[in-house]
Amino acid sequence: MKNKKTVVIILAIIFLMIIIFLIKNNYKFLKKGNNISNKSADEIKEYILNIESYQAIATITIKSNKNENNYKIKQKYNKKNNSYKQEVLEPSNFSGIQFIYDGETLKIENTKLNLSKIYTNYKYIESNELSLIAFIENYKKDEQAKCIEENGKIILEANIRNENKYVSKKKLYINRENYKIEKMEIIDITQNARIYILYNEIEINTLSKEEVLAFSTKAIEENI
C-alpha cells in the first residue's frame, strides 16, 4: 500500500512539474513572441520610418471650397534602387496615367492615348506629396515631429516647410495592433484637411525590385 501511495505521489509531482514547465514556456513565448501588440509606439514608428519597399492601392480624396474629387491609385516603391511607380485606376477619364521614376528619370505616361513625357536627371522625387516615402522624409527632417498614441492608433505628425499653402502638415495613422498603415491626412495652412489618402490595401517590404511613380501636386493646386 505504501509503495502504491509513493508511486501516486511521484506521478503527481511529475505531473505538476510538467504543468509548471508548460506554463513557464507558454508565458515566455507570449512575452517574447511575435505578438505585434507587444511593440511600443516608438518601435512601430521606427518600423514605418525604415520601410524598404511598399505597394498599395489607395483612395485619394481632394477637397476644395467648391467640390470634392476622388481618385483610386496604385503605388509601388523600392528603396534599393530608389524607384517609384504610381498609376491612376479611377476615375475612368484619368485611368491609365502613370508616373514612373527609376532613380534618375521621371516618365509621365498616358497609356490610353499612347503619350509620354520624360524628364531626365530628375532630382525632386521627394516633392511627391502623395507618396508614403515623401511623408517619411518629411518626418525625418522635422525636428518637431510627433508620435502620438490615441484610440488604438499610432499617429505620426510632421510639419511641412515649403511655399505650398495647401500642404502645411501631414498625419499618418497606423493601427496599434497590427501596425498596418490605414490613412494619411494632408492639412493646409488654415489647419483644414485638404487631402485624405485611405490605404485600402498595403504590403510592406515585399517587393524585391519595382518601379515607382511620382504624382505632381501642381494638378492638385489647380483643382483646389
Side-chain angles (χ1 to χ4, degrees):
M1 188 62 112
K2 262 188 186 179
N3 289 337
K4 194 173 182 180
K5 284 185 178 179
T6 302
V7 171
V8 171
I9 291 170
I10 291 172
L11 289 173
I13 291 171
I14 292 172
F15 180 73
L16 183 61
M17 288 175 68
I18 291 171
I19 294 297
I20 292 170
F21 176 80
L22 290 173
I23 291 172
K24 281 186 176 180
N25 277 275
N26 190 48
Y27 173 75
K28 284 179 182 177
F29 173 77
L30 290 173
K31 189 174 181 181
K32 183 182 177 183
N34 240 352
N35 193 339
I36 294 170
S37 63
N38 289 334
K39 299 288 186 184
S40 68
D42 282 338
E43 286 176 315
I44 294 173
K45 179 188 76 174
E46 289 306 312
Y47 168 76
I48 298 298
L49 295 181
N50 290 284
I51 286 173
E52 292 293 323
S53 69
Y54 82 91
Q55 56 181 337
I57 294 178
T59 301
I60 298 176
T61 300
I62 302 174
K63 292 187 174 183
S64 69
N65 296 328
K66 297 179 180 179
N67 53 32
E68 180 177 304
N69 296 301
N70 295 290
Y71 305 90
K72 188 175 182 180
I73 63 165
K74 185 175 184 178
Q75 292 180 332
K76 291 183 179 182
Y77 163 78
N78 184 274
K79 185 177 181 179
K80 188 175 181 180
N81 56 358
N82 191 28
S83 59
Y84 300 78
K85 182 178 181 180
Q86 182 167 292
E87 179 183 359
V88 180
L89 304 177
E90 295 177 5
S92 59
N93 56 319
F94 285 102
S95 66
I97 296 177
Q98 297 184 355
F99 302 77
I100 303 167
Y101 180 68
D102 63 4
E104 294 182 357
T105 302
L106 173 66
K107 181 180 181 182
I108 301 176
E109 181 178 33
N110 187 323
T111 57
K112 284 185 176 180
L113 300 178
N114 197 27
L115 298 173
S116 64
K117 179 76 174 178
I118 295 176
Y119 300 87
T120 57
N121 299 315
Y122 190 82
K123 303 296 182 184
Y124 305 102
I125 201 67
E126 294 85 0
S127 65
N128 169 21
E129 300 294 356
L130 302 184
S131 77
L132 181 57
I133 299 309
F135 171 84
I136 290 172
E137 292 302 315
N138 295 148
Y139 191 94
K140 288 179 177 179
K141 290 176 182 177
D142 183 15
E143 294 180 358
Q144 297 179 332
K146 298 178 183 178
C147 177
I148 305 164
E149 187 167 353
E150 187 178 277
N151 300 323
K153 312 291 181 189
I154 303 297
I155 305 171
L156 303 183
E157 183 178 310
N159 296 300
I160 314 302
R161 315 217 179 268
N162 59 30
E163 297 180 358
N164 187 343
K165 64 181 180 179
Y166 300 111
V167 183
S168 175
K169 184 185 296 182
K170 295 181 182 178
K171 290 184 178 181
L172 189 70
Y173 293 77
I174 304 126
N175 187 293
R176 180 69 178 81
E177 292 301 315
N178 57 18
Y179 53 85
K180 178 187 174 185
I181 298 170
E182 294 185 340
K183 67 176 180 177
M184 187 198 302
E185 292 178 353
I186 300 179
I187 299 165
D188 66 14
I189 58 173
T190 63
Q191 300 305 304
N192 289 316
R194 287 281 188 170
I195 302 170
Y196 293 87
I197 303 174
L198 179 64
Y199 295 96
N200 305 312
E201 301 175 27
I202 186 165
E203 294 180 23
I204 305 297
N205 298 337
T206 60
L207 296 178
S208 57
K209 188 177 179 181
E210 287 291 344
E211 299 173 326
V212 187
L213 176 163
F215 196 100
S216 173
T217 53
K218 286 185 178 180
I220 294 173
E221 291 179 22
E222 289 174 2
N223 283 333
I224 294 175

